[in-house]
Amino acid sequence: MKAYKTTRDLPVEKRLKATAGRLLAVLTPAAAARVYQQPFTRELKYHERLLRNARQHQAIEERDHETLHQFLIDYWSSPFSQEFFTTFTHRFEELFLRFHTDIVVNLAKQLAALPEHQEVNLVEVGCGDGKVLEYLADRLPRVKHLTGLDLSEEEIAKCRERYPSRKRIAFTAEDVFDWLEANSDTALVFFTNGGVLEYFTRRQLERLFVLLRNRPQPTWIALTETLALDHCLDKEPETFPYGRELAFSHNYSALLSESGFQEVWRRDRPTKSGEENHPTRWLQMIAATTAVTSNTNAGNQSAKPSTPPQPLS
């Protein structure tokens, strides 16, 4: 999946639909307004989907990421979100366990180098079914308490039923900024997996990273996020929409560095064989506010922001 740096990068079919939708918006402004308010949470007829397409096209043209973000919020509040959880029920086994666990190994090395008296907690944003959080609890004994955050109250309720006896684990349907404001007294690992921050705008990420950087105790950010295949991190600090959902390809290296974090481990690679049903490029990173002496950098595949990776044979 490549970035939509301009509307010319969109598929021809989407551009044609956008042209038809713009004409419809002029002829039926009331219908257009209704679609813009609820682009996904109600079933749309064909002409309404054209109107939605036109508004997305306009947002890309004007670099209006706030509108794209509102569309994403509506998408994840719609029945489409439950379809996602139903369709990808084996994501933990097929994706995380097979391809993404190295970040946990390297995070464990960072935490093992801490003084024994240092208390550390972990929060996973976008915890979904809670399987990754349980895995982290088993492999990060240095972490005292782990919290899973998700905006889906239905998923959080399922997690609470699934893990009733795990004393170190808790789940809550809460806004990440509210949670961080209320939990600022210990060292913290901020963890995301499988593409979560791609639904944040650049402005939100800047606010989030500064909030994490200003915590009084050491803080780590460990992320596994998707990127547009052609997003060149050493030349393009910008954020671009990309993919079917029009999520955001962020330059996490640049954003974290600007916020005062130090990168301690990174892996930037294209999709491997077996990941065909998932995004075409994965970025995994660990960044910290306080450098900890460890062997974490030994597995670092890139010491600086990278150019787009070449496909693996």
Side-chain angles (χ1 to χ4, degrees), residues 216-230:
Q217 298 290 337
T219 301
W220 292 262
I221 295 178
L223 58 87
T224 298
E225 295 291 334
T226 65
L227 293 176
L229 193 59
D230 59 341

Side-chain angles (χ1 to χ4, degrees), residues 58-256:
Q58 181 183 359
I60 292 172
E61 185 175 55
E62 297 175 353
R63 299 188 178 183
D64 178 7
H65 291 181
E66 293 298 329
T67 291
L68 294 177
H69 175 65
Q70 291 303 315
F71 274 38
L72 288 169
I73 290 176
D74 194 69
Y75 176 87
W76 286 104
S77 301
S78 74
F80 290 104
S81 65
Q82 290 308 310
E83 288 180 17
F84 173 85
F85 291 121
T86 301
T87 303
F88 294 103
T89 52
H90 300 296
R91 247 177 146 235
F92 173 73
E93 294 81 6
E94 295 177 359
L95 185 61
F96 179 78
L97 288 182
R98 290 182 63 191
F99 301 104
H100 292 163
T101 57
D102 280 356
I103 194 170
V104 182
V105 174
N106 285 282
L107 182 59
K109 292 177 182 177
Q110 281 282 304
L111 300 182
L114 285 172
E116 291 186 7
H117 67 272
Q118 179 74 67
E119 181 178 322
V120 185
N121 291 332
L122 181 147
V123 60
E124 182 192 3
V125 179
C127 64
D129 59 15
K131 291 181 179 179
V132 171
L133 195 71
E134 182 184 37
Y135 181 94
L136 295 173
D138 290 338
R139 283 158 180 81
L140 297 177
R142 195 64 185 74
V143 176
K144 181 178 181 180
H145 191 267
L146 302 90
T147 301
L149 298 185
D150 204 289
L151 292 179
S152 172
E153 294 186 2
E154 183 175 345
E155 285 301 307
I156 289 298
K158 291 178 182 178
C159 286
R160 289 170 176 166
E161 293 177 1
R162 192 176 292 128
Y163 309 105
S165 61
R166 297 302 298 261
K167 295 181 179 180
R168 293 169 60 214
I169 297 178
F171 296 93
T172 180
E174 189 173 352
D175 176 79
V176 61
F177 292 101
D178 293 339
W179 189 92
L180 288 172
E181 292 283 1
N183 296 271
S184 61
D185 54 344
T186 65
L188 181 72
V189 175
F190 181 94
F191 193 93
T192 71
N193 175 68
V196 173
L197 300 182
E198 64 184 15
Y199 300 113
F200 285 57
T201 65
R202 184 183 185 88
R203 184 177 301 176
Q204 287 176 314
L205 277 191
E206 289 170 340
R207 176 190 169 199
L208 175 64
F209 291 161
V210 168
L211 182 62
L212 289 166
R213 175 64 184 86
N214 289 336
R215 292 174 64 87
Q217 298 290 337
T219 301
W220 292 262
I221 295 178
L223 58 87
T224 298
E225 295 291 334
T226 65
L227 293 176
L229 193 59
D230 59 341
H231 193 168
C232 184
L233 301 187
D234 60 352
K235 295 180 180 179
E236 296 175 315
E238 304 96 328
T239 290
F240 301 111
Y242 83 110
R244 184 178 62 86
E245 298 171 300
L246 297 182
F248 299 112
S249 179
H250 297 291
N251 191 324
Y252 296 99
S253 297
L255 285 166
L256 286 166

Side-chain angles (χ1 to χ4, degrees), residues 283-304:
L283 175 72
Q284 293 186 283
M285 283 185 64
I286 301 174
T289 55
T290 302
V292 178
T293 302
S294 72
N295 293 322
T296 305
N297 280 310
N300 202 349
Q301 293 191 348
S302 178
K304 63 179 181 179

